[in-house]
Amino acid sequence: MTTVINNLCIIGTGLIGGSFSLALQRAAACKKIIGAGRSEKTLQQARQLKIIDDYNTDISAAVKDADVIFVSVPLGAMRTVFEKIATGLKQAGNEQAIITDAGSSKQQVQLLAQTIFAQAGKYFVAGHPIAGTENSGPAAAFADLYKNRRVILTPVKNTDKEAIRQVTELWQVTGAEVETMSAEHHDKVLAATSHLPHLIAFGLVHCLENLDDIEDIFRFAAGGFRDVTRIASSDPTMWRDICLNNRQPILAMMKSYKDEMEMLYNALQSADGEKLMEVFEHAKQTRDKFTH
Ligand code: NAD
């Protein structure tokens, strides 16, 4: 693999940023990778794990010579981080550096980029890898995270074409398949496929917590319980931020789900086995069709 870029700066060297870096290093796609973030301890750990070559706790200084800046911090930290990047790039006269992110919701991030970065965010390419685990931090990062997974980019009319091409190429190097769609469509689709399931998992475990026999519930937890609740071990800060950033699409999905639960509740209350069969059969057919 020939080098795609010289200097990459990763802000937030946790699961997502760390895995991006490891995958690019494996392909020898970048000459130098600098990390930046809030916690020096995390950055030191990232350097120890060879996720980054070096780090700088000052984000504005870290981006000075970057060709590409990859932002993988929780959504609630994006505004502050974007402002520090913009300051650093302006001071260094490097405002044509390409900036991209991995945030799990896209409309709010896109809006921030348009208001904070030079030329209404012309060199910002919003992105979201549809890959992850319930673990976080540098130690959770691994080079294969994006292999055969999808990455969604949500560029706008103003986005620089060469920036889109470079970000696409970097993701392809990690083994991912890149798709493009509007930020609005992304947020609606992800509310249904990722954000609602996380709320269900968090809500289910939380609801069981209040039962008297909680010890036995977890002791005898079978595969089904583990499958449905695995993602309730995800990082609470990250998920609070995702929910707050994608409120309306998530609320719409929660309403549909609430109605569905109520319908199932009524069917069971009236011992309507036919209705239950109808719903379960439909659900099974739909899942089998889309997952096989
Ligand atoms: P993580 O906790 O593993 O890593 C986040 C990193 O950001 C850490 O290094 C942390 O030190 C740093 N950070 C936190 N607050 C900061 C701040 N205020 N300023 C600077 N740095 C800060 O999280 P992650 O799973 O890598 O997620 C990062 C981003 O990727 C989030 O926006 C998330 O929505 C998105 N994402 C996560 C997943 C997933 O499954 N984990 C999947 C796709 C996208």
Side-chain angles (χ1 to χ4, degrees):
M1 173 83 214
T2 48
T3 304
V4 178
I5 57 164
N6 287 322
N7 293 320
L8 173 69
C9 179
I10 297 185
I11 306 183
T13 53
L15 169 72
I16 295 298
S19 300
F20 187 68
S21 179
L22 290 174
L24 292 177
Q25 283 184 55
R26 188 169 59 186
C30 308
K31 281 198 182 140
K32 191 166 181 194
I33 304 180
I34 296 290
R38 187 183 48 167
S39 144
E40 181 149 19
K41 204 170 135 216
T42 308
L43 292 166
Q44 273 170 357
Q45 193 189 2
R47 189 172 59 185
Q48 227 162 35
L49 292 167
K50 300 196 183 308
I51 286 173
I52 47 176
D53 298 314
D54 211 343
Y55 68 81
N56 197 327
T57 48
D58 178 347
I59 294 173
S60 301
V63 299
K64 216 166 48 75
D65 301 319
D67 299 310
V68 175
I69 300 151
F70 183 76
V71 185
S72 41
V73 299
L75 285 163
M78 290 280 184
R79 176 187 288 278
T80 318
V81 168
F82 280 9
E83 283 168 353
K84 288 178 181 164
I85 295 172
T87 305
L89 293 180
K90 191 164 185 206
Q91 278 167 0
N94 184 23
E95 286 180 305
Q96 293 196 353
I98 295 168
I99 310 158
T100 184
D101 80 308
S104 305
S105 87
K106 297 276 49 106
Q107 285 176 101
Q108 295 288 339
V109 172
Q110 191 79 58
L111 211 65
L112 275 182
Q114 274 162 7
T115 51
I116 296 172
F117 294 132
Q119 294 186 61
K122 181 176 177 189
Y123 298 101
F124 176 76
V125 185
H128 178 209
I130 312 300
T133 72
E134 69 278 25
N135 305 315
S136 45
F142 59 102
D144 273 337
L145 177 62
Y146 304 116
K147 204 169 167 191
N148 301 324
R149 305 305 292 268
R150 287 204 167 88
V151 171
I152 299 174
L153 301 183
T154 61
V156 290
K157 254 215 312 255
N158 178 44
T159 314
D160 183 67
K161 298 285 171 290
E162 176 56 20
I164 301 172
R165 193 199 61 73
Q166 278 218 22
V167 172
T168 303
E169 190 179 352
L170 284 173
W171 276 118
Q172 284 168 343
V173 167
T174 70
E177 191 185 310
V178 178
E179 287 191 29
T180 299
M181 63 178 70
S182 73
E184 193 187 356
H185 186 56
H186 167 279
D187 287 357
K188 213 169 144 191
V189 170
L190 269 291
T193 55
S194 170
H195 307 168
L196 177 67
H198 276 81
L199 278 162
I200 292 170
F202 283 126
L204 175 58
V205 176
H206 188 247
C207 138
L208 297 183
E209 258 172 44
N210 300 321
L211 302 178
D212 295 338
D213 27 21
I214 179 79
E215 295 289 326
D216 273 353
I217 287 175
F218 281 93
R219 192 142 49 102
F220 297 119
F225 179 82
R226 285 175 191 278
D227 285 350
V228 176
T229 60
R230 177 182 62 82
I231 51 180
S233 291
S234 303
D235 183 53
T237 305
M238 185 174 104
W239 280 97
R240 176 204 59 195
D241 290 358
I242 291 171
C243 290
L244 293 176
N245 268 266
N246 201 24
R247 257 175 71 222
Q248 291 314 328
I250 297 176
L251 285 172
M253 280 314 304
M254 284 175 87
K255 170 81 177 66
S256 299
Y257 188 69
K258 240 169 81 183
D259 293 347
E260 183 74 24
M261 280 291 116
E262 199 168 324
M263 181 268 289
L264 284 173
Y265 183 94
N266 291 336
L268 189 56
Q269 198 177 42
S270 52
D272 187 349
E274 218 174 289
K275 185 74 198 168
L276 294 178
M277 270 306 276
E278 184 195 315
V279 174
F280 297 168
E281 270 174 357
H282 261 108
K284 178 175 162 44
Q285 273 166 19
T286 305
R287 189 176 189 280
D288 289 351
K289 182 172 149 199
F290 286 105
T291 55
H292 286 163

